[in-house]
């Protein structure tokens, strides 16, 4: 027995070593693929990495060059720490952290020197009590101030640096006699590190937070336009729904609205950092908080697109022969909504007001046609067509019966369709039989999930109900489109966008998984 266990252990060890060696062989290739993909997605990341490396090299000269080291000494390490902590990806983030660090250090040093000056006039024992009391009061007050919304949003890092510097200087001054000289040297090295960071981020290939926020808003509008186009196209083309998380993450519909739903934190951070940036062009003084408001409206619109996408994943679907009756008006409504979103994206990209014809008569006509198409099928929506409802009922019952037999006999049976309420009565009778015979728990679990489907499909209007929800959500996108237009117009008014001209029309190609449509945005209407 022991010999068998030893052989099994050896075989398992060999198998694990083989798998590990295969992973080790693939590691270099996967690593370089990741490196290439990260740089390809945003080449500015490579530039930023080079800027950080160059900055660290420059501050290291304070250690490497003998004259500089003699003048600054061991405190040169603070310059290296400052570069590592302060130098961020965008200019706004670097300015925010750099100025917070410098201001916090300066204020903390001044307050520490003032308290130290007062403490020196007292006795040795009272000096310790005074320093301890000062540390307690300043630490408590400073920590409580961090909860203030305005301070937490704009100066939280500076408050942390203030608290750290104040305690270092104040507490060490009790034992160290030349603390004033040490503080001066540290302040100078921190100032050198901040200066190098500011030069690198402002004058060498600068990356502006305001431009990132501006461009991300354009991308979100375009993503919503493509997502809603792909969603409606997939609904009427009866595309097979995705069942796994990996597949859904590759879905172009999912990609279109995911960036919008995940943008709240990013928009607020970019807006904050953009407010710290200096005026570097005539377009940089934008109302950044208005971009945040627009992002919130886009997220509300995105929730509707998510619900539309959910209609594709629904367990109960309207048959294709019923959906095709409403395909043309729905596609037309979707095209008009997508055209409006693309026009809004282009107006923000080109910093101009949107077209006065952004909501054209075509959208109203498409909505009217959709309304007429629904009214033209009263039997479908009022449920007078009993055959359709009973067919769906029979299909659900047959599926339940087939699943039960498959679990019980491990075989496949041909489903038989029943009419009226026979499927539901059959389910009830089988349940009573099972209660008397006390079957296995696994067999009960086969029937239990089917009850809700049978109850739902027994409704006469259940066949048209999924499409009714889909059409309602599609009309909701039109209603929420007004909110987006209002926010974009407000942004253009505050930011002084240039006026729209008839020559500003743009032809945009919208390509999705199942759709390739060329949209001509608002053809020229002649002179204004």
């Amino acid at each position: 027995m022991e010999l068998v266990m030893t052989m099994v252990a050896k075989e398992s060890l060999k198998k694990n070593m083989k798998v590990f060696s295969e992973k080790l062989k693939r590691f270099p290739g996967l690593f370089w693929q990741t490196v290439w993909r990260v740089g390809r997605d945003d080449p500015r990341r490579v530039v930023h990495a080079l800027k950080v490396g160059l900055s660290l090299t420059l501050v290291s000269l304070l250690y490497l060059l003998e004259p500089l080291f003699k003048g600054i000494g061991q405190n040169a390490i603070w310059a290296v720490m400052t570069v590592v902590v302060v130098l961020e990806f965008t200019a706004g983030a670097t300015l925010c952290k750099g100025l917070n660090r410098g201001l916090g250090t300066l204020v903390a040093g001044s307050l520490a020197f003032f308290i130290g000056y007062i403490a020196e006039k007292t006795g040795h024992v009272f000096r310790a009590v005074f320093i301890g009391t000062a540390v307690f009061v300043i630490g408590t007050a400073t920590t409580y101030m961090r909860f203030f919304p305005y301070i937490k949003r704009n100066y939280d890092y500076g408050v942390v640096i203030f608290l750290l510097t104040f305690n270092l200087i104040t507490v060490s001054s009790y034992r160290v006699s030349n603390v004033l000289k040490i503080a001066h040297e540290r302040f100078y090295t921190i100032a050198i590190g901040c200066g190098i960071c500011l030069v690198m981020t402002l004058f060498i290939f600068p990356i502006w937070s305001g431009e990132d926020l501006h461009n991300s808003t354009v991308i979100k509008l375009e993503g919503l336009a493509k997502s809603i186009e792909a969603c409606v196209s997939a609904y009427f083309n009866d595309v097979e729904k995705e069942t796994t998380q990996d597949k859904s993450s590759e879905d172009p519909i999912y990609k279109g609205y995911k960036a919008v739903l995940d943008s709240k934190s990013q928009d607020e951070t970019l807006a904050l950092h953009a407010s710290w940036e200096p005026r570097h062009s005539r377009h940089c003084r934008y109302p950044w908080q208005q971009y945040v408001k627009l992002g919130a409206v886009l997220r509300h619109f995105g929730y509707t697109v998510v619900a539309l996408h959910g209609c594709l994943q629904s367990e109960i679907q309207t048959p294709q022969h019923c959906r095709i009756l409403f395909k043309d008006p729905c596609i037309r409504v979707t095209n008009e909504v997508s055209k409006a979103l693309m026009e809004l994206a282009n107006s923000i990209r080109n910093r101009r007001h949107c077209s006065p014809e952004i909501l054209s008569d075509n959208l109203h006509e498409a909505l009217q046609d959709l309304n007429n198409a629904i009214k033209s099928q009263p039997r479908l929506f009022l449920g007078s067509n009993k055959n359709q409802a009973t067919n769906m009922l029979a299909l659900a019952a047959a599926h339940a019966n087939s699943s039960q037999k498959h679990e019980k006999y491990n075989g496949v049976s041909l489903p038989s369709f029943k009419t009226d309420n026979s499927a539901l009565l059959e389910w009830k009778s089988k349940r009573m039989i099972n209660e008397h015979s006390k079957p296995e728990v696994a067999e009960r679990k086969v029937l239990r999930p089917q009850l809700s489907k049978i109850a739902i499909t027994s409704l006469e209007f259940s066949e048209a109900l999924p499409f009714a929800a889909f059409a309602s959500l599609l009309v909701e996108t039109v209603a929420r489109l007004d909110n987006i237009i209002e926010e974009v117009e407000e942004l253009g008014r505050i930011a002084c966008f240039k006026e729209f001209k008839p020559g500003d029309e743009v032809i945009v190609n919208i390509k999705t998984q199942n759709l390739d449509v060329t949209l001509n945005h608002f053809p020229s209407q002649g002179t204004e």
Side-chain angles (χ1 to χ4, degrees):
M1 187 65 181
E2 293 181 356
L3 181 60
V4 173
M5 294 180 62
T6 303
M7 294 179 61
V8 171
K10 288 183 178 180
E11 291 293 332
S12 178
L13 180 61
K14 289 181 180 180
K15 184 178 180 180
N16 293 335
M17 291 297 295
K18 184 178 180 180
V19 172
F20 178 76
S21 62
E22 291 178 355
K23 290 183 178 179
L24 196 62
K25 292 178 181 178
R26 294 196 304 266
F27 177 76
L30 295 175
F31 175 76
W32 286 113
Q33 287 179 6
T34 304
V35 170
W36 175 258
R37 185 177 64 254
V38 170
R40 181 191 58 193
D41 292 343
D42 192 350
R44 299 179 303 171
R45 296 169 179 170
V46 180
V47 176
H48 175 68
L50 295 175
K51 287 161 63 175
V52 173
L54 180 58
S55 300
L56 290 173
T57 302
L58 292 177
V59 295
S60 298
L61 295 178
L62 298 176
Y63 256 106
L64 300 178
L65 298 180
E66 191 69 23
L68 296 177
F69 181 77
K70 289 181 179 180
I72 297 178
Q74 297 290 337
N75 290 310
I77 193 63
W78 287 88
V80 179
M81 294 172 59
T82 300
V83 170
V84 173
V85 173
V86 170
L87 190 54
E88 294 287 342
F89 184 70
T90 62
T94 302
L95 282 168
C96 180
K97 297 192 74 172
L99 296 179
N100 269 276
R101 186 177 181 87
L103 185 63
T105 302
L106 181 61
V107 174
S110 302
L111 184 60
F113 293 148
F114 176 73
I115 291 178
Y117 176 77
I118 296 176
E120 286 180 357
K121 303 300 181 181
T122 61
H124 185 73
V125 177
F126 185 77
R127 182 184 178 189
V129 174
F130 183 79
I131 291 176
T133 304
V135 169
F136 172 78
V137 173
I138 298 298
T140 302
T142 302
T143 303
Y144 186 75
M145 288 177 62
R146 291 184 64 191
F147 293 105
F148 295 177
Y150 181 78
I151 293 178
K152 187 172 185 63
R153 183 172 60 252
N154 294 279
Y155 304 105
D156 186 68
Y157 181 70
V159 172
V160 173
I161 295 300
F162 165 82
L163 190 60
L164 175 64
T165 305
F166 174 79
N167 283 275
L168 286 175
I169 297 176
T170 304
V171 175
S172 61
S173 64
Y174 185 75
R175 298 292 182 182
V176 181
S177 58
N178 61 340
V179 67
L180 181 62
K181 179 182 178 182
I182 296 175
H184 279 171
E185 291 177 350
R186 289 183 180 180
F187 178 77
Y188 294 149
T189 54
I190 290 174
I192 291 173
C194 288
I196 292 176
C197 291
L198 294 180
V199 170
M200 284 292 175
T201 193
L202 293 177
F203 301 105
I204 301 179
F205 300 105
I207 302 171
W208 305 107
S209 299
E211 290 295 328
D212 281 357
L213 180 59
H214 180 84
N215 295 331
S216 68
T217 303
V218 175
I219 293 173
K220 286 185 289 187
L221 282 165
E222 293 177 342
L224 288 175
K226 295 177 182 179
S227 183
I228 192 172
E229 284 271 9
C231 186
V232 176
S233 175
Y235 184 79
F236 287 102
N237 290 338
D238 198 20
V239 176
E240 182 181 359
K241 62 183 181 180
E242 309 293 349
T243 57
T244 63
Q245 183 67 24
D246 294 337
K247 290 184 179 180
S248 64
S249 63
E250 299 173 359
D251 190 350
I253 306 174
Y254 176 77
K255 288 182 178 180
Y257 63 73
K258 181 179 182 297
V260 179
L261 300 182
D262 297 342
S263 65
K264 183 177 186 297
S265 174
Q266 181 184 12
D267 288 351
E268 292 177 350
T269 302
L270 288 175
L272 172 63
H273 293 162
S275 64
W276 286 83
E277 292 177 350
R279 187 181 181 89
H280 56 275
S281 70
R282 66 188 183 91
H283 300 302
C284 67
R285 286 299 181 186
Y286 275 5
W288 304 119
Q289 290 303 320
Q290 186 63 29
Y291 281 90
V292 178
K293 294 180 181 179
L294 178 57
V297 175
L298 291 178
R299 282 191 296 276
H300 284 287
F301 187 89
Y303 299 148
T304 309
V305 181
V306 173
L308 274 175
H309 193 199
C311 292
L312 273 67
Q313 315 290 332
S314 177
E315 293 292 336
I316 301 176
Q317 293 286 349
T318 300
Q320 187 67 15
H321 70 273
C322 295
R323 279 187 259 177
I324 202 68
L325 299 173
F326 312 99
K327 178 177 180 180
D328 290 340
C330 287
I331 291 293
R332 288 171 56 197
V333 171
T334 305
N335 288 345
E336 294 300 323
V337 172
S338 181
K339 284 166 62 176
L341 290 173
M342 295 301 291
E343 165 60 16
L344 292 172
N346 283 311
S347 67
I348 295 177
R349 177 189 289 111
N350 299 321
R351 296 178 172 90
R352 62 165 173 81
H353 289 281
C354 57
S355 169
E357 302 293 333
I358 186 169
L359 294 179
S360 62
D361 294 337
N362 294 333
L363 178 58
H364 177 73
E365 293 175 359
L367 287 172
Q368 190 63 41
D369 291 344
L370 177 59
N371 185 43
N372 295 336
I374 293 176
K375 287 182 178 180
S376 66
Q377 302 293 333
R379 293 181 299 175
L380 181 62
F381 290 93
L382 296 179
S384 60
N385 192 348
K386 296 182 179 179
N387 291 332
Q388 295 172 349
T390 54
N391 284 343
M392 289 188 67
L393 174 63
L395 182 61
H399 177 70
N401 187 32
S402 175
S403 300
Q404 180 192 3
K405 290 182 178 180
H406 179 75
E407 285 289 327
K408 199 167 184 178
Y409 304 111
N410 196 22
V412 178
S413 62
L414 184 64
S416 60
F417 290 91
K418 301 180 184 297
T419 59
D420 301 328
N421 295 326
S422 59
L424 194 58
L425 294 174
E426 181 181 354
W427 181 87
K428 290 181 179 179
S429 62
K430 287 184 178 181
R431 183 181 179 186
M432 295 178 62
I433 295 173
N434 290 333
E435 288 178 353
H436 290 292
S437 60
K438 295 182 180 181
E440 297 295 330
V441 177
E443 295 179 2
R444 291 182 181 179
K445 290 184 178 179
V446 173
L447 291 176
R448 190 175 296 118
Q450 306 301 328
L451 174 59
S452 59
K453 291 185 180 181
I454 292 177
I456 292 173
T457 53
S458 65
L459 300 174
E460 291 185 351
F461 58 86
S462 61
E463 190 170 50
L465 185 61
F467 175 77
F470 181 85
S472 175
L473 290 170
L474 189 59
V475 175
E476 179 68 15
T477 61
V478 179
R480 295 196 177 190
L481 188 61
D482 289 337
N483 298 329
I484 300 178
I485 295 174
E486 290 177 2
E487 292 297 332
V488 173
E489 289 179 346
E490 181 68 12
L491 173 62
R493 185 186 63 81
I494 299 176
C496 299
F497 282 177
K498 61 184 180 181
E499 294 297 328
F500 176 82
K501 297 180 181 179
D504 291 337
E505 297 87 1
V506 180
I507 297 178
V508 179
N509 291 326
I510 297 181
K511 294 182 179 179
T512 57
Q513 185 178 15
N514 299 294
L515 188 65
D516 186 357
V517 180
T518 299
L519 301 178
N520 190 344
H521 283 271
F522 312 109
S524 177
Q525 303 294 328
T527 58
E528 293 182 348

